[in-house]
């Protein structure tokens, strides 16, 4: 089976065609211009992930919220569940870039970290 | 009156990179004048990731990207005045500004770098959008500030007009925060945003993108209650009979960015009618000696990484100008020529006596799949590069090699064109 996709590993946005085996496993990819495209195609077929960014409430900060991101991508299917956890969280100022706001969110092994000072 | 070697107007990514580069090149007395309460510019509210892939080779959020430069500025000898509004840049490079501490400031500068960035086209710039004037109609960037800085949701049922990157990013952001993004309407037959944003922000969440479609009317008295959308013809006029009512409480506009060049025009510096930024040479010097421009005030960029690179060119140019006693030695300029398919080129003119290769940044006027970018000098093909896709939403670059420049004279021509 063939699946067309657009690589989002970088802004180039290569149009790729992925060959998927009968067992649903990744076989090969064409159209990518770098190794990252192959990795992206492989992940997209087996376990798609996304970087998640949002904000978390801050107590006593310069602004009411501080921006956060997932330190590494989380499973695509868990984005909305992760958002629920993020919206429950609060942190106390001062916050530094890189501070862990939520450790190991929903058992994914991924930390939610601050991306600005507050 | 104060005296500085270099005054940088604007403390966003362009201003910071230009100031830091000038310092690195040996300029001693530099000041950045920033209108907001802190450095960083628009990056502070761009909390999504995707910044820095080219420049830092890693994926950062906007505040993280800005943070790296803010840290460098803090460690440098570059002075910063925040909460400072520049009112005027005069022809003899006197910068007039105002803030709470200094009152009215006048600074005599040897060189000036203009790095004021750009602003969004507002509703008023869309005369075809009729109807009432209720709350709930805002630019995507305003909505972005409400959500990411102020921490509240500006609406629950959203229609986005314009598929620029900020609109796409906000479609995802609002969806993740629990709002329903009904659609993105784009008047052009193609999206103005980066491909990866279409994939990650719309396709991932099944948000429809309607091309050749626009919003023709807003409805509601106090709060927006709905909009009327319609298909448009090739001339972008709404087609009668295609109107459709869409219920929503918020309309976000992502309909283009305009370089903020009031100061530039005030100084009598001519602008390029296409970029709406100053016309510059390869050092990013404007038509006015010693006044440089870089970043989104010069041309609207898709990626901050390219803003940084452009600002470093301007910073280096300003340093050379300052350290050379407030002038450049003999230069012979020729204009860069836009060939088929090319909407604009920055820089608009280049010095044929330049010893270094010159990168020409440009945008195409339409989508060209499987096309070639051809660089010609005096009618001779210098390079021809295959591209899977050329689109107006993605800035392209082609390099004029140093050995080619060497063979050029004041009568030469350099052309960039698309071959389909």
């Amino acid at each position: 089976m063939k699946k067309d996709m657009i690589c989002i590993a970088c802004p180039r946005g290569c149009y790729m065609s992925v060959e998927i085996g009968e067992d649903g496993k990744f076989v090969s990819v064409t159209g990518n211009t770098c190794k990252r495209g192959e990795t992206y195609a492989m992940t997209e077929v087996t376990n798609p992930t996304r970087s998640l960014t949002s904000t978390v409430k801050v107590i006593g900060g310069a602004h009411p919220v501080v921006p956060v991101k997932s330190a590494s991508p989380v499973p695509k299917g868990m984005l909305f569940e992760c958002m629920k956890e993020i919206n429950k969280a609060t942190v106390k100022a001062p916050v530094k870039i890189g501070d862990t706001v939520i450790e190991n969110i929903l058992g994914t092994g991924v930390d939610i970290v601050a991306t600005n000072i507050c | 009156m104060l005296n500085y070697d270099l005054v940088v107007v604007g403390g966003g990514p362009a201003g910071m990179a230009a100031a830091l580069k000038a310092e690195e090149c040996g300029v001693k007395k530099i000041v950045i004048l920033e209108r907001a309460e802190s450095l960083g510019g628009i990056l502070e509210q761009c909390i999504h990731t995707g910044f820095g892939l080219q420049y830092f080779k890693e994926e950062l959020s906007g505040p993280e990207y800005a943070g790296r430069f803010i840290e460098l500025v803090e460690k440098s000898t570059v002075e910063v005045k925040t909460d400072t509004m520049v009112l005027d840049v005069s022809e003899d490079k006197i910068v007039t500004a105002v803030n709470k501490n200094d009152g009215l400031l006048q600074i005599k500068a040897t060189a000036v770098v203009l790095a004021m960035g750009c602003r969004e086209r507002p509703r008023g710039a869309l005369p075809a959008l009729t109807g009432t004037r209720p709350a709930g109609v805002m630019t995507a960037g305003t909505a972005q500030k409400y959500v990411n800085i102020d921490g509240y949701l500006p609406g629950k049922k959203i229609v986005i007009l314009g598929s620029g990157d900020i609109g796409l990013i906000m479609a995802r952001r609002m969806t993740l925060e629990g709002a329903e993004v009904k659609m993105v309407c784009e008047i052009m037959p193609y999206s103005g945003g980066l491909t990866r944003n279409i994939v990650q922000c719309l396709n991932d969440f099944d948000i429809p993108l309607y091309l050749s479609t626009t919003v023709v009317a807003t409805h509601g008295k106090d709060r927006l209650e709905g909009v009327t959308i319609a298909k448009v013809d090739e001339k972008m006029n709404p087609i009668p009979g295609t109107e459709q009512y869409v219920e929503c409480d918020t309309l976000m506009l992502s309909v283009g960015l305009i370089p903020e060049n009031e100061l530039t025009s005030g100084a009598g510096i001519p602008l390029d009618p296409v970029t709406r930024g100053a016309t510059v040479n390869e050092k990013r010097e404007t038509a006015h000696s010693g006044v440089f421009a870089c970043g989104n005030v010069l041309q609207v960029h898709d990626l901050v990484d390219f803003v940084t690179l452009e600002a470093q060119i301007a910073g280096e140019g300003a340093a050379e100008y300052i350290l050379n006693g407030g002038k450049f030695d003999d230069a012979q300029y020729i204009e860069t020529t836009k060939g088929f398919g090319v909407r604009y080129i920055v820089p608009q003119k280049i010095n044929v006596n330049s010893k270094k290769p010159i990168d020409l940044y440009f945008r195409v006027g339409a989508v060209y799949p499987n096309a070639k970018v051809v660089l010609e000098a005096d009618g001779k093909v210098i390079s021809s590069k295959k591209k899977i896709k050329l689109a107006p939403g993605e800035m392209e670059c082609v390099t004029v090699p140093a050995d080619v420049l060497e063979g050029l004279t004041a009568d030469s021509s350099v052309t960039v064109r698309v071959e389909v």
Side-chain angles (χ1 to χ4, degrees), chain B residues 72-349:
Chain B
L72 291 173
V73 170
E74 281 168 354
K75 283 186 197 150
S76 75
T77 61
V78 174
E79 291 173 49
V80 179
K81 286 183 187 292
T82 52
D83 273 320
T84 301
M85 178 78 188
V86 175
L87 303 174
D88 184 63
V89 177
S90 76
E91 284 192 33
D92 46 358
K93 284 171 277 179
I94 293 171
V95 179
T96 308
V98 66
N99 69 28
K100 269 193 248 174
N101 298 328
D102 303 291
L104 191 70
L105 268 170
Q106 285 211 300
I107 306 174
K108 176 86 183 85
T110 309
V112 176
V113 171
L114 301 171
M116 293 87 76
C118 61
R119 61 167 172 254
E120 294 173 280
R121 278 180 78 199
R123 176 184 181 152
L126 302 173
L129 181 50
T130 62
T132 54
R133 292 292 184 270
V137 181
M138 65 194 79
T139 63
T142 300
Q144 189 178 45
K145 182 170 187 288
Y146 286 149
V147 183
N148 295 345
I149 306 272
D150 302 329
Y152 61 89
L153 211 58
K156 286 183 180 147
K157 284 184 191 169
I158 324 283
V159 169
I160 298 176
L161 173 59
S163 60
D165 288 311
I166 314 167
L168 300 176
I169 294 286
M170 282 313 290
R172 173 176 61 186
R173 183 80 183 103
M174 297 300 289
T175 306
L176 285 170
E177 287 292 354
E180 182 196 353
V181 178
K182 294 202 151 180
M183 61 181 67
V184 176
C185 299
E186 170 60 57
I187 195 165
M188 303 298 285
Y190 51 83
S191 164
L194 295 172
T195 310
R196 64 169 172 161
N197 284 338
I198 305 273
V199 175
Q200 281 176 303
C201 302
L202 300 186
N203 300 359
D204 268 9
F205 301 99
D206 299 320
I207 299 168
L209 169 62
Y210 296 122
L211 299 173
S212 300
T213 303
T214 192
V215 175
V216 291
T218 51
H219 310 281
K221 189 167 167 279
D222 298 323
R223 178 78 197 193
L224 187 71
E225 287 166 12
V227 295
T228 303
I229 63 166
K231 284 265 166 211
V232 298
D233 60 23
E234 304 86 67
K235 287 180 181 157
M236 288 192 274
N237 293 316
I239 303 168
T242 63
E243 295 90 353
Q244 232 184 309
Y245 180 81
V246 183
E247 190 203 336
C248 62
D249 60 22
T250 305
L251 173 66
M252 290 184 189
L253 305 174
S254 179
V255 289
L257 300 167
I258 306 165
E260 210 164 335
N261 270 306
E262 283 70 19
L263 292 172
T264 321
S265 298
I269 294 166
L271 305 183
D272 179 324
V274 181
T275 60
R276 301 213 212 182
T279 55
V280 291
N281 62 28
E282 79 286 353
K283 295 185 202 298
R284 304 302 184 271
E285 185 188 29
T286 66
H288 205 104
S289 163
V291 180
F292 299 77
C294 57
N296 282 353
V297 81
L298 179 61
Q299 59 172 331
V300 176
H301 292 254
D302 330 311
L303 301 178
V304 69
D305 306 64
F306 290 131
V307 167
T308 300
L309 295 176
E310 183 171 85
Q312 290 174 337
I313 295 171
E316 195 179 343
E320 191 187 330
Y321 180 88
I322 293 162
L323 301 173
N324 197 34
K327 62 175 173 34
F328 283 123
D329 293 329
D330 286 342
Q332 283 210 315
Y333 291 108
I334 59 166
E335 284 187 19
T336 49
T337 311
K338 297 169 278 188
F340 173 80
V342 176
R343 263 189 81 223
Y344 76 75
I345 302 171
V346 170
Q348 286 84 354
K349 57 178 192 172

Side-chain angles (χ1 to χ4, degrees), chain A residues 6 8-11 15 36 50-55 63-65 67 69 76 79-80 83 87 97 115-116, chain B residues 37 44 47-49 59 61 63-64 148-151 173 175-177 195-196 199-200 204 303 389 394:
Chain A
I6 305 169
I8 55 171
C10 88
Y15 284 76
R36 290 203 309 187
R50 293 289 182 268
S51 289
L52 177 62
T53 60
S54 188
T55 51
H63 297 290
V65 291
K69 71 172 180 184
K76 190 181 160 189
L79 287 176
F80 285 99
M83 279 301 292
N87 283 338
I97 293 179
T115 59
N116 207 352
Chain B
E37 62 191 13
E44 293 295 302
I47 66 163
H48 53 282
T49 54
E59 192 170 19
S61 73
E64 288 175 307
N148 295 345
I149 306 272
D150 302 329
R173 183 80 183 103
T175 306
L176 285 170
E177 287 292 354
T195 310
R196 64 169 172 161
V199 175
Q200 281 176 303
D204 268 9
L303 301 178
K389 192 180 120 191
E394 314 222 1

Side-chain angles (χ1 to χ4, degrees), chain A residues 15 24 36-39 42 63 70 82 107:
Chain A
Y15 284 76
R36 290 203 309 187
E38 190 182 321
T39 312
M42 218 184 284
H63 297 290
S70 56
C82 288

